[in-house]
């Protein structure tokens, strides 16, 4: 790894609208490498994903903020980003040979089977811990702090808690296995995103 991992991974929500999202991201960038941005836009086609990734990459580069691209290895390579693999995606070993040295791979983990598949990853986003403000129809059972800790201890890489995590709930997570947290609406939709980001 070329530098320490961030403490907060912010996942984009393009349903906010491009201008609102980019303004929220720009409010966070002065936090530097304590935060990373993950570019995720379900349903967007390749050209749109690449255009949005370039917008984010240009902003992140100025502040040294790591950028992850969700799922699309080709887009990550074009903009010089790290890669996030969703649960139904390829294994880490499938894509690692194509990434330049020093690029990270994060993975989504929801259960024991996915924790086993996470071998070789640099970090894992474990969810849903407390719920998911961005997925109101998500019916998966909540892991809670104990469930998160159990999965985190099965991982060979640092675990980040995702799903309804705010500053108060983050304090209930076991510090020995919590490398950081990931968030969407709790940060992006705040009046001043930097405030909840710093609290997390």
């Amino acid at each position: 790894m070329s530098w320490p991992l961030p403490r907060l991974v912010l996942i984009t929500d393009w349903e906010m609208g491009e201008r609102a999202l980019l303004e929220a991201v720009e409010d966070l960038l002065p936090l530097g490498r304590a935060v990373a941005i993950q570019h995720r836009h379900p349903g967007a086609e390749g050209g749109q994903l690449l255009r949005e990734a370039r917008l984010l990459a240009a902003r992140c580069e100025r502040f040294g903020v790591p950028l992850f691209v969700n799922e699309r290895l080709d887009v990550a390579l074009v903009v010089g980003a790290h890669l996030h693999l969703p649960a139904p995606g390829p294994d880490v070993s499938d894509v690692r040979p194509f990434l330049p040295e020093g690029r990270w791979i994060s993975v989504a983990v929801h259960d024991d089977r996915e924790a086993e598949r996470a071998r070789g990853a640099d970090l894992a986003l474990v969810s849903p811990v407390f719920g998911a403000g961005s997925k109101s129809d998500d019916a998966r059972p909540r892991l809670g702090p104990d469930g998160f800790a159990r999965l985190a201890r099965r991982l060979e890489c640092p675990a980040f808690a995702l799903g309804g995590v705010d500053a108060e709930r983050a304090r209930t997570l076991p510090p020995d296995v919590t490398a950081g947290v990931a968030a969407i609406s709790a940060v992006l939709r705040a009046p001043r995103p930097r405030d909840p980001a710093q609290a997390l």
Side-chain angles (χ1 to χ4, degrees):
M1 295 182 189
S2 53
W3 57 73
L5 291 173
R7 297 301 307 278
L8 170 66
V9 176
L10 178 73
I11 302 169
T12 57
D13 178 5
W14 292 94
E15 291 184 1
M16 297 173 58
E18 183 175 299
R19 179 176 178 178
L21 174 62
L22 292 177
E23 286 177 352
V25 167
E26 287 168 356
D27 192 53
L28 297 169
L29 294 178
L31 297 177
R33 291 178 178 170
V35 64
I37 307 296
Q38 184 192 126
H39 174 34
R40 176 182 179 271
H41 192 169
E45 295 187 356
Q48 182 179 356
L49 283 169
L50 178 57
R51 184 184 67 82
E52 293 167 347
R54 282 175 165 152
L55 291 173
L56 293 170
R59 288 161 171 80
C60 289
E61 186 176 3
R62 292 202 306 268
F63 290 87
V65 170
L67 173 66
F68 287 83
V69 168
N70 192 70
E71 191 170 10
R72 292 291 298 261
L73 174 63
D74 54 346
V75 175
L77 289 172
V78 169
V79 301
H82 307 285
L83 182 67
H84 175 76
L85 297 177
D91 289 338
V92 174
S93 59
D94 293 325
V95 298
R96 177 73 76 185
F98 299 98
L99 284 171
E101 186 176 353
R103 298 277 177 85
W104 295 329
I105 298 176
S106 65
V107 294
V109 170
H110 308 93
D111 55 36
D112 293 291
R113 183 182 62 83
E114 291 171 7
E116 288 297 318
R117 286 189 65 205
R119 288 178 179 168
D122 297 293
L123 64 152
L125 307 188
V126 179
S127 70
V129 180
F130 299 105
S134 64
K135 296 181 180 179
S136 58
D137 60 344
D138 188 352
R140 291 174 300 183
R142 306 326 187 208
L143 294 169
D146 291 340
F148 167 78
R150 184 181 62 80
L151 286 179
R153 291 189 174 99
R154 296 201 62 172
L155 293 166
E156 297 177 355
C157 63
F160 285 62
L162 169 64
V165 182
D166 57 22
E168 182 176 352
R169 287 170 167 170
R171 295 187 189 98
T172 69
L173 298 171
D176 60 318
V177 293
T178 306
V181 298
I184 307 176
S185 54
V187 172
L188 284 177
R189 295 183 180 268
R192 187 172 183 263
R194 197 181 313 174
D195 292 339
Q198 286 179 315
L200 283 166

